[in-house]
């Protein structure tokens, strides 16, 4: 392709060979390429060297509390949605050494950790996940305080997006307005089209870097018919989400219902296991661990992911602020869908469905909101009759 | 005899009371003074009087066999002391001892009870004011019970 | 964004997580379970400047970090003063430090008491227990500019006469004619000659002009809620009442999530809040 002819937003058609070429180009440019790959029965994100590392011909079946990999009838490269991991682990790792301190003859010295972080190319990022990264950007870089560790890891990320043509069983990005098509904040975006007789990808650039990389690939301008086909698939995907969430008035709904007895019903099922917070691509809570070596001359401080479902999370002298399971669940869902908006000007939920799939008892965030909405539309007598 | 009307009128407990009611109260009132360390009441003794404190400080105490007298509450200027006179068997439940030199207006319990029986409007006024004091002391006691500054295990 | 470098230069960011080392200058016991630490920067450089009500994260080698409000004089940067209550592993470890030992300090964090907005007003400071410590910088600050304020009343409630913090200083301040100090304890035995009763019982008789009063309250949440009830009964407008909230804090800058109280991050939106901002949350169950 002629570089000058390439502008952002324009669609091109490439083959699978050119995807391999894309990975080669990225690695030649010094990027560490990470993307979806099958590990221990799930699709996770890890280093990928070639197209063959992708979960070719796999799909995932997802329902509340259920995740299964299944063989597809075709050789699609991106024929699944999101697994338990998210890109969060690369920019905000589960454990981050904050610093070390050394003690010698009564004096203490601080040692900062190495800041030699990889330059990542995230390959196969779903639209909801692009939004999740944007949400965490606001958390860690959007206020007066900015987190250096996050900012440095996030700095040079290259985003190769994949538009979702087949939503999963717990997906609801269409409700959250975060997908299934990547609209912004990517360098390159792919749409995979698998037909009986042909298998190809539409690719568009979303940044100058993306345009430069695209110019290295052999591509043809996409035909109107191909573009129409991709649009058709994406529109169909938006209509076929596994879940739906009515976000009308959702912030006030949750604030209004802080003391709704419904939370006690949820708590009967919730195990406070914190899975939902661990798989969530936007959950950002952390705690710190302080340790010393055996001789007591070196100490280190590590930040690690934490969950608001633990009792210790809100501990102050005298006890936890939220000792009850139901108030911890209420806190999580209210934070995600309501107070996040007050804090960061955006919803904390991107509709990826991970918390539904990975909840061991299948608690469904969309169903819980629906229950609250229903409880308000019933009169109290009707509600009683229902019980 | 000294006219205690003006003193009664300015006591916060009686603020807003009509002159005619104050006049009725004056008939049961007498001026008293207690030195530091005086007992104003003893647990189990007949509660013949109650007091409108004008100034000074008194401690409501409870005798414990292992820790000695525990101070439950102090009462001072503008407070009212004692409600045992209001209910049978008209017996003090606590010891009250002065911490500072205290001046008060003592009210004869039986005298006021009789007036309240005769004049229910006065009775209602007195009852309203006493229940307000009791509710405040009860909620203060509840707060005290929580031991909010104590160390938690 | 595809590229985070579009919005900032991360290399230029200061690292909020790095403590600065301070040396313990003095450490002394206040009451049986409280103590005060005076710190000076280990590198001999200038200390931090802070506003009354702000807090620091204090780190003790290998044990951990705790949020502690600054209790010294905001007009005197050195030494940096903190009063702590020994309630957990970090505060216990800090308690064992001696002059010359090192601690890590991050801060100052959080919002301040409204000492400037309160100019021209009567001031009512309500402190419960260790809650007197975060209010002491207010006292220093207003005594330094005493003529700018009307009446100044300190109402302090604590557990027992043995738990009275800053006893000598309070005695000294009590002798001032421009400061009205009332202390009460929850329980006492003789020869205590002060007040016995909850701190809220001091409010109805305290001398201040409710409509032109700024109240600052620091203590256990229950004590603050009951104090607010008494103050509003007296006619103090709600938006003249300020409280200091306590929540679990790990980072101090809104990253760790622990201190959330509804939509508020107590570490950076607080700890000092004007009452209407936190009213609905204070009255909800386990927020």
């Amino acid at each position: 392709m002629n570089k000058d002819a390439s502008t952002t937003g324009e669609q091109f058609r490439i083959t699978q060979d050119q995807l391999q070429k894309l990975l080669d180009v990225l690695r030649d440019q010094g990027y560490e390429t990470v993307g979806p790959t099958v590990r221990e029965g799930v699709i996770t994100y890890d280093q990928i060297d070639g197209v063959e590392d992708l979960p070719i011909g796999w799909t995932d079946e997802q329902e509340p509390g259920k995740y299964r990999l299944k063989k597809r009838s075709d050789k699609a490269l991106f024929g699944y949605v999101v697994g338990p991991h998210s890109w969060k682990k690369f920019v905000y790792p589960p454990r981050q050494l904050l610093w070390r301190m050394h003690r010698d003859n009564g004096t203490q010295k601080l040692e900062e950790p190495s800041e030699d972080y990889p330059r990542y190319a995230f390959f196969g990022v779903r639209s909801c996940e692009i939004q999740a990264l944007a949400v965490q950007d606001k958390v860690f870089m959007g206020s007066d305080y900015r987190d250096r560790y996050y900012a440095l890891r996030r700095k040079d990320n290259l985003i190769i997006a994949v538009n979702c043509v087949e939503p999963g069983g717990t997906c609801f990005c269409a409700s959250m307005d975060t997908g299934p098509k990547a609209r912004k904040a990517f360098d390159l975006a792919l749409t995979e089209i698998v037909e009986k007789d042909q298998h190809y990808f539409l690719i568009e650039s979303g940044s100058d870097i993306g345009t430069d990389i695209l110019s290295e690939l052999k591509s043809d301008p996409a035909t109107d018919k191909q573009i129409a086909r991709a649009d058709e698939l994406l529109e169909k995907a938006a209509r076929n989400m596994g879940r739906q969430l009515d976000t009308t008035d959702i912030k006030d709904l949750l604030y209004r219902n802080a003391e709704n007895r419904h939370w006690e019903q949820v708590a009967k099922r919730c195990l406070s296991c914190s899975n939902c917070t661990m798989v969530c691509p936007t959950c950002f809570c952390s705690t710190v661990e302080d340790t010393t070596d055996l001789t007591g001359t070196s100490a280190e401080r590590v930040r690690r992911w934490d969950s608001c479902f633990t009792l210790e999370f809100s501990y102050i002298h005298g006890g936890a602020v939220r000792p009850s399971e139901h108030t911890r669940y209420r806190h999580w869902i209210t934070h995600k869908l309501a107070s996040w908006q007050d804090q960061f000007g955006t919803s904390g939920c991107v509709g990826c469905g991970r918390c539904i799939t990975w909840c061991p008892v299948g608690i469904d965030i969309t169903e819980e909101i629906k229950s609250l909405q229903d409880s308000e539309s019933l009169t109290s007598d009707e509600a009683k009759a229902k019980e | 005899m000294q006219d205690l009307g003006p003193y009664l009128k300015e006591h916060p407990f009686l603020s807003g009371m009509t002159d005619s009611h104050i006049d009725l109260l004056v008939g049961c009132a007498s001026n008293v003074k207690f030195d530091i360390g005086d007992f104003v009441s003893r647990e189990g003794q007949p509660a013949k009087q109650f007091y409108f404190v004008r100034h000074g400080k008194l401690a409501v105490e409870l005798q414990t066999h292992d820790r000695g007298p525990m101070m439950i509450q102090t009462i001072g200027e503008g407070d009212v002391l004692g409600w045992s006179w209001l209910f049978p068997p008209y017996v003090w439940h606590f010891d009250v001892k002065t911490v500072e030199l205290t001046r008060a207006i003592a009210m004869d319990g039986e005298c006021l009870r009789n007036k309240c029986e005769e004049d229910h409007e006065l009775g209602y006024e007195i009852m309203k004011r006493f229940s307000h004091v009791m509710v405040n002391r009860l909620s203060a006691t509840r707060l005290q019970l929580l031991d909010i500054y104590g160390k938690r295990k | 964004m595809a590229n985070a470098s579009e919005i900032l230069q991360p290399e230029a960011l200061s690292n909020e997580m790095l403590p600065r080392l301070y040396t313990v200058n003095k450490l002394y016991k206040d009451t049986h379970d409280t103590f005060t630490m005076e710190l000076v920067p280990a590198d001999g450089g200038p200390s931090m400047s802070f506003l009354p009500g702000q807090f620091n994260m204090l780190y003790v080698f290998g044990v951990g970090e705790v949020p502690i409000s600054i209790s010294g004089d905001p007009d005197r940067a050195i030494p940096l003063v903190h009063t702590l209550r020994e309630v957990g592993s970090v505060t216990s470890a800090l308690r064992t430090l001696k002059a010359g030992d090192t601690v890590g300090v991050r801060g100052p964090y959080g919002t301040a008491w409204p000492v400037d907005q309160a100019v021209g007003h009567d001031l009512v400071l309500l402190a419960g227990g260790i809650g007197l410590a975060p209010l002491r910088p207010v006292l220093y600050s207003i005594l330094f500019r005493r003529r700018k304020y009307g009446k100044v009343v300190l109402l302090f409630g604590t557990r027992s006469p043995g738990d009275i913090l800053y006893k000598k200083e309070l005695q000294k301040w009590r002798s001032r004619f421009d400061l009205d100090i009332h202390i009460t304890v929850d329980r006492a035995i003789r020869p205590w000659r002060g007040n016995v009763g909850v701190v809220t019982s001091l409010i109805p008789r305290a001398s201040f002009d409710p409509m032109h009063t700024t109240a600052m309250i620091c203590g256990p949440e229950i004590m603050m809620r009951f104090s607010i009830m008494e103050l509003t009964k007296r006619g103090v407008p709600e938006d003249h009442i300020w409280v200091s909230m306590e929540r679990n804090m790990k980072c101090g800058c809104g990253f760790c999530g622990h201190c959330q109280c509804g939509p508020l991050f107590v570490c950076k939106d607080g700890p000092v809040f004007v009452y209407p901002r936190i009213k609905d949350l204070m009255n909800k169950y386990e927020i």
Side-chain angles (χ1 to χ4, degrees):
Chain A
M1 176 190 90
N2 181 345
K3 191 184 164 186
D4 297 334
S6 149
T7 52
T8 59
E10 216 175 309
Q11 302 260 16
F12 296 88
R13 180 186 175 281
I14 59 168
T15 61
Q16 188 164 322
D17 295 345
Q18 290 305 302
L19 269 195
Q20 179 60 53
K21 176 84 193 301
L22 172 58
L23 284 168
D24 294 340
V25 169
L26 294 173
R27 284 184 305 126
D28 285 349
Q29 293 191 2
Y31 285 104
E32 187 166 311
T33 46
V34 284
T37 190
V38 176
R39 292 262 189 286
E40 296 171 0
V42 297
I43 291 169
T44 176
Y45 296 136
D46 210 336
Q47 189 183 326
I48 49 165
D49 297 326
V51 167
E52 69 280 4
D53 292 334
L54 296 171
I56 300 174
W58 286 102
T59 192
D60 48 7
E61 273 185 358
Q62 302 199 32
E63 287 303 324
K66 187 175 167 228
Y67 180 98
R68 293 280 182 282
L69 285 191
K70 229 177 78 179
K71 272 287 180 195
R72 296 173 61 92
S73 58
D74 58 29
K75 292 284 176 198
L77 268 52
F78 299 104
Y80 42 85
V81 285
V82 294
H85 287 200
S86 64
W87 308 96
K88 167 170 109 172
K89 69 175 182 176
F90 297 106
V91 288
Y92 169 52
R95 291 179 70 81
Q96 164 76 54
L97 172 67
L98 296 179
W99 42 261
R100 288 198 177 85
M101 208 181 277
H102 306 286
R103 184 153 71 172
D104 183 33
N105 279 333
T107 62
Q108 287 174 26
K109 234 179 94 185
L110 203 60
E111 178 200 334
E112 295 181 44
S114 150
E115 291 183 341
D116 192 12
Y117 303 131
R119 253 175 102 213
Y120 287 118
F122 295 152
F123 191 86
V125 184
R126 306 299 174 142
S127 180
C128 61
E129 301 186 295
I130 294 176
Q131 287 308 307
L133 287 166
V135 166
Q136 284 214 327
D137 287 347
K138 287 198 169 154
V139 172
F140 290 114
M141 306 194 296
S143 80
D144 292 345
Y145 295 107
R146 290 167 175 197
D147 187 59
R148 184 179 173 91
Y149 308 92
Y150 180 88
L152 284 171
R153 287 180 185 275
R154 180 80 177 90
K155 190 178 65 154
D156 289 325
N157 301 162
L158 195 80
I159 308 281
I160 318 290
V162 170
N163 294 323
C164 290
V165 292
E166 287 178 29
T170 55
C171 288
F172 57 104
C173 64
S175 299
M176 304 312 290
D177 197 25
T178 55
K181 185 182 189 319
R183 284 182 305 232
K184 55 182 179 188
F186 56 82
D187 295 288
L188 289 168
L190 297 162
T191 309
E192 180 174 35
I193 294 173
V194 186
E195 311 278 28
K196 262 185 202 144
D197 49 350
Q198 49 181 342
H199 182 189
Y200 60 92
F201 302 85
L202 294 191
I203 187 166
E204 69 174 295
S205 160
S207 72
D208 292 344
I209 300 175
T211 304
D212 282 348
I213 292 167
L214 187 50
S215 71
E216 309 255 337
L217 308 180
K218 213 171 95 194
S219 68
D220 307 313
T223 63
D224 288 349
K225 207 178 149 198
Q226 287 161 345
I227 293 169
R229 177 66 181 141
D231 288 347
E232 182 194 340
L233 286 169
L234 288 166
E235 273 160 31
K236 201 175 133 207
R239 286 195 307 271
N240 287 320
M241 291 283 144
R243 290 285 179 280
Q244 277 175 352
L245 180 64
D246 178 5
T247 59
T248 317
D249 185 39
I250 199 160
K251 187 173 98 176
D252 290 331
L253 173 83
L254 283 158
Y255 284 168
R256 265 199 310 275
N257 284 287
E259 293 181 341
N260 192 316
R261 299 292 300 267
H262 175 69
W263 302 121
E264 293 164 40
Q265 300 301 315
V266 188
K268 284 182 185 161
R269 290 173 285 142
C270 177
L271 308 175
S272 288
C273 72
S274 80
N275 264 17
C276 51
T277 53
M278 294 294 114
V279 295
C280 178
T282 66
C283 270
F284 61 87
C285 288
S286 64
T287 186
V288 282
E289 284 173 359
D290 291 283
T291 50
T292 54
D293 64 357
L294 283 175
T295 61
T297 53
S298 286
E300 64 176 37
R301 184 150 240 252
V302 170
R303 175 166 78 187
R304 66 162 177 79
W305 290 356
D306 200 3
S307 171
C308 54
F309 280 92
T310 70
L311 202 50
E312 302 79 45
F313 185 83
S314 62
Y315 181 86
I316 50 177
H317 171 62
V321 172
R322 288 181 287 278
S324 316
E325 280 165 5
H326 76 270
T327 59
R328 299 205 290 276
Y329 183 81
R330 176 196 69 193
H331 172 78
W332 176 74
I333 193 171
T334 306
H335 185 212
K336 200 93 324 206
L337 293 165
S339 42
W340 209 295
Q341 296 184 38
D342 283 333
Q343 293 168 346
F344 304 107
T346 172
S347 173
C349 176
V350 295
C352 72
R354 285 181 178 91
C355 58
I356 306 172
T357 300
W358 295 96
C359 174
V361 295
I363 295 175
D364 180 339
I365 190 171
T366 65
E367 284 297 318
E368 296 313 323
I369 292 299
K370 198 162 176 304
S371 299
L372 277 192
Q373 285 161 340
D374 289 348
S375 80
E376 284 199 334
S377 60
L378 295 175
T379 65
S380 56
D381 287 346
E382 285 169 339
K384 257 182 209 145
K386 204 179 157 200
E387 278 173 21
Chain B
M1 205 181 101
Q2 190 186 359
D3 177 18
L4 294 173
Y7 294 110
L8 286 175
K9 253 184 109 78
E10 71 189 28
H11 195 277
F13 182 84
L14 299 171
S15 88
M17 207 73 154
T18 62
D19 288 347
S20 59
H21 283 155
I22 293 284
D23 288 344
L24 288 171
L25 290 172
V26 170
C28 302
S30 59
N31 214 350
V32 290
K33 188 190 104 178
F34 300 103
D35 286 322
I36 296 178
D38 282 356
F39 276 108
V40 176
S41 78
R42 298 303 303 265
E43 180 188 327
Q45 294 297 306
K48 291 181 178 155
Q49 291 176 309
F50 71 96
Y51 304 91
F52 296 121
V53 181
R54 290 171 56 199
H55 70 83
K57 189 186 286 176
L58 309 106
V60 180
E61 292 183 342
L62 202 51
Q63 197 65 230
T64 62
H65 72 96
D66 53 343
R67 287 172 294 175
M70 298 292 295
M71 294 167 76
I72 309 295
Q73 190 195 11
T74 49
I75 285 183
E77 184 177 328
D79 289 330
V80 62
L81 167 68
W83 51 62
S84 302
W85 64 277
L86 199 47
F87 313 100
Y90 315 116
V91 164
W92 287 105
H93 284 60
F94 296 94
D95 291 346
V96 177
K97 199 175 183 181
T98 52
V99 185
E100 292 169 6
L101 180 116
T102 299
R103 290 181 195 279
I105 293 167
M107 298 294 297
D108 184 306
E110 194 180 350
C111 167
L112 186 56
R113 284 203 307 271
N114 289 336
K115 291 192 180 187
C116 289
E117 288 298 349
E118 283 164 22
D119 181 345
H120 281 189
E121 224 166 277
L122 172 69
Y124 180 59
E125 278 300 322
I126 294 288
M127 209 45 116
K128 263 202 302 199
R129 286 151 201 265
F130 264 101
S131 33
H132 188 233
V133 171
M134 288 173 188
V135 164
N136 281 345
R137 299 233 176 120
L138 177 61
S139 80
T141 306
R142 285 172 173 165
L143 208 51
Q144 236 168 337
L145 266 178
L146 293 177
D147 190 19
I148 50 176
Y149 311 117
K151 219 175 206 178
R152 310 283 188 281
K153 297 266 156 47
Chain C
M1 91 237 66
N3 215 314
S5 58
E6 283 167 14
I7 58 157
L8 74 143
Q9 290 298 319
E11 290 81 0
L13 283 181
S14 66
N15 190 338
E16 274 303 322
M17 295 300 123
L18 296 183
R20 183 172 169 203
L21 298 179
Y22 276 69
T23 306
V24 177
N25 197 29
K26 260 191 207 165
L27 193 151
Y28 48 86
K29 190 169 156 171
D30 289 295
T31 67
H32 67 100
D33 64 350
T34 58
F35 61 99
T36 295
M37 280 171 53
E38 296 185 6
L39 307 172
V40 293
D43 58 14
S47 186
M48 65 179 68
S49 59
F50 69 92
L51 298 167
Q54 289 193 299
F55 67 94
N56 279 319
M57 300 297 299
L58 300 185
Y59 170 82
V60 60
F61 189 87
V63 184
E65 211 178 42
V66 278
I68 303 290
S69 61
I70 309 169
S71 52
D73 186 344
D75 293 302
R76 287 179 54 207
I78 293 183
L80 184 61
V81 182
H82 296 88
T83 299
L84 301 86
R85 184 163 176 224
E86 199 180 327
V87 287
S89 56
V90 182
T91 45
S92 297
L94 285 164
R95 175 76 186 88
T96 63
L97 297 181
K98 292 178 179 55
D101 285 344
T102 308
V103 292
V105 180
R106 292 193 296 123
Y109 292 118
T111 53
W113 296 109
V115 282
D116 292 333
Q117 289 109 295
V119 164
H121 270 193
D122 287 352
L123 294 184
V124 178
L125 309 184
L126 272 146
I130 187 83
L132 182 58
L135 281 169
R136 191 168 67 165
V138 176
L139 278 163
Y140 287 133
S141 183
I142 59 186
L143 288 178
F144 191 63
R145 306 160 179 80
R146 183 62 190 87
R147 279 181 306 174
K148 292 189 170 184
Y149 302 93
K151 287 177 179 157
V152 179
V153 184
L154 169 66
L155 307 177
F156 173 42
T158 189
R159 192 167 187 242
S160 75
D163 293 298
I164 296 173
L165 208 56
Y166 309 140
K167 223 174 229 168
K168 279 186 188 155
E169 216 165 8
L170 286 172
Q171 244 158 27
K172 196 179 76 190
W173 283 336
R174 269 185 130 160
S175 64
R176 292 179 67 127
F177 293 109
D178 57 359
L179 205 52
D180 196 6
I181 297 184
H182 299 280
I183 300 170
T184 184
V185 298
D186 271 0
R187 59 200 61 189
I189 52 171
R190 294 176 203 155
W192 173 246
R193 294 181 57 183
N195 300 309
V196 180
V198 289
V199 68
T200 50
S201 66
L202 299 174
I203 298 171
R205 301 280 150 68
S207 168
F208 56 87
D209 173 12
M211 284 307 290
H212 300 97
T213 286
T214 296
M216 307 181 200
I217 319 174
C218 188
E221 234 171 282
I222 307 168
M223 167 264 175
M224 297 200 287
R225 295 204 310 260
F226 275 78
S227 299
I228 290 164
M229 273 192 251
E230 290 300 327
L231 288 168
T232 48
K233 263 189 228 168
R234 286 238 6 215
V236 179
E238 287 186 350
D239 59 355
H240 290 185
I241 300 175
W242 299 69
V243 297
S244 179
M245 296 292 288
E246 186 191 5
R247 284 291 183 274
N248 187 325
M249 290 178 197
K250 298 284 183 200
C251 73
C253 30
F255 297 150
C256 80
H258 283 253
C259 69
Q260 286 176 88
C261 180
L264 302 170
F265 288 104
V266 171
C267 69
K268 61 175 192 180
D269 299 323
V272 176
F273 293 98
V274 65
Y275 176 55
R277 189 151 184 226
I278 196 137
K279 182 182 176 184
D280 287 345
L281 298 167
M282 274 181 104
N283 293 312
K284 278 205 182 93
Y285 190 61
E286 294 185 15
I287 280 281

